[in-house]
Amino acid sequence: MARPLRLQVDEQILDRAAGLFARHGFAQTSLQALADAAGLSKAGLLHHYPSKDALFAAAVELGREQSAELLERVRVLPVGAERDRRAVALLVDFALARPGLIALASRAISTLGAGAEVDPRDRGLDGIDRLVFALFGVDPEAGGTERLVRVVGMLSALAVLSLAAGHGGVAAEWRPHIITTCLDALGHRDPGPVPSDRSQVRV
């Protein structure tokens, strides 16, 4: 069933805002830049969200909700290669539809262990990082350096590749290669069949 147009518009605004917050951080992202990215005037953007703080909070909440939804789709599988393949396919389809939110999740993970110089809004991003790690059965506090590094590397590659595919208009063509690259980062050199049902992710 199609979602209401208002919800689609809001998600597009939040995805574009998330991309800017991911690239520049909260403090360095201006309200005017956010309005420009959304294709709105500053007044038009403020009609949707009354402040930059409200826009950031809404983008983080959308990222958290959709990460939690993806986790629900994979948690029935035990941690391992099959779950990795399912999680990667879901994440890639989500990233190609919402690259800004994936970039924001990547930023959340890139601030792990960062000191006090990082804006508190950019550190942790309200649990998005924990939800993404949970997709792959990783607890960053529990050690296991190789697996942690592989998951961080996979997400970083996904963020870059999904943005490039979107800007180049080659999402469908790149999709299987992005999946293969992500699985390779996780240590799965024989990815097996790639799920092709893009309807498995709500976008």
Side-chain angles (χ1 to χ4, degrees):
M1 185 171 72
R3 286 170 295 141
L5 180 60
R6 172 61 190 263
L7 181 56
Q8 293 180 47
V9 169
D10 280 349
E11 288 191 4
Q12 289 170 358
I13 291 171
L14 293 176
D15 184 61
R16 292 174 184 173
L20 284 183
F21 288 130
R23 283 197 297 277
H24 306 296
F26 179 86
Q28 299 304 314
T29 302
S30 72
L31 197 57
Q32 185 62 60
L34 291 164
D36 291 344
L40 298 169
S41 66
K42 195 185 293 189
L45 180 63
L46 290 172
H47 175 72
H48 286 268
Y49 301 96
S51 67
K52 185 171 83 165
D53 285 273
L55 182 58
F56 181 82
V60 169
E61 179 61 17
L62 180 61
R64 189 197 63 75
E65 287 175 1
Q66 298 201 346
S67 297
E69 182 178 319
L70 295 183
L71 179 57
E72 284 302 308
R73 291 174 182 242
V74 302
R75 73 184 335 154
V76 295
L77 297 172
V79 174
E82 184 183 354
R83 175 162 164 166
D84 283 355
R85 289 187 181 102
R86 174 77 168 149
V88 164
L90 288 166
L91 270 177
V92 168
D93 287 341
F94 177 63
L96 291 173
R98 296 285 180 251
L101 290 171
I102 286 294
L104 195 61
S106 181
R107 183 177 181 92
I109 287 174
S110 72
T111 61
L112 284 172
E117 71 277 3
V118 176
D119 188 309
R121 293 178 187 90
D122 294 332
R123 191 187 299 110
L125 290 169
D126 198 30
I128 294 176
D129 53 351
R130 290 188 299 277
L131 286 164
V132 173
F133 280 128
L135 284 170
F136 298 93
V138 171
D139 178 358
E141 306 297 324
T145 303
E146 180 184 355
R147 178 71 170 168
L148 177 61
V149 169
R150 284 186 179 278
V151 171
V152 171
M154 178 279 302
L155 186 64
S156 299
L158 175 58
V160 171
L161 290 170
S162 60
L163 284 169
H167 291 156
V170 292
E173 181 181 345
W174 281 30
R175 179 184 182 270
H177 306 298
I178 296 173
I179 289 174
T180 299
T181 299
C182 290
L183 289 172
D184 188 59
L186 292 174
H188 305 302
R189 299 202 179 275
D190 178 16
V194 173
S196 60
D197 179 11
R198 299 193 65 187
S199 67
Q200 59 190 334
V201 180
R202 180 178 67 83
V203 294

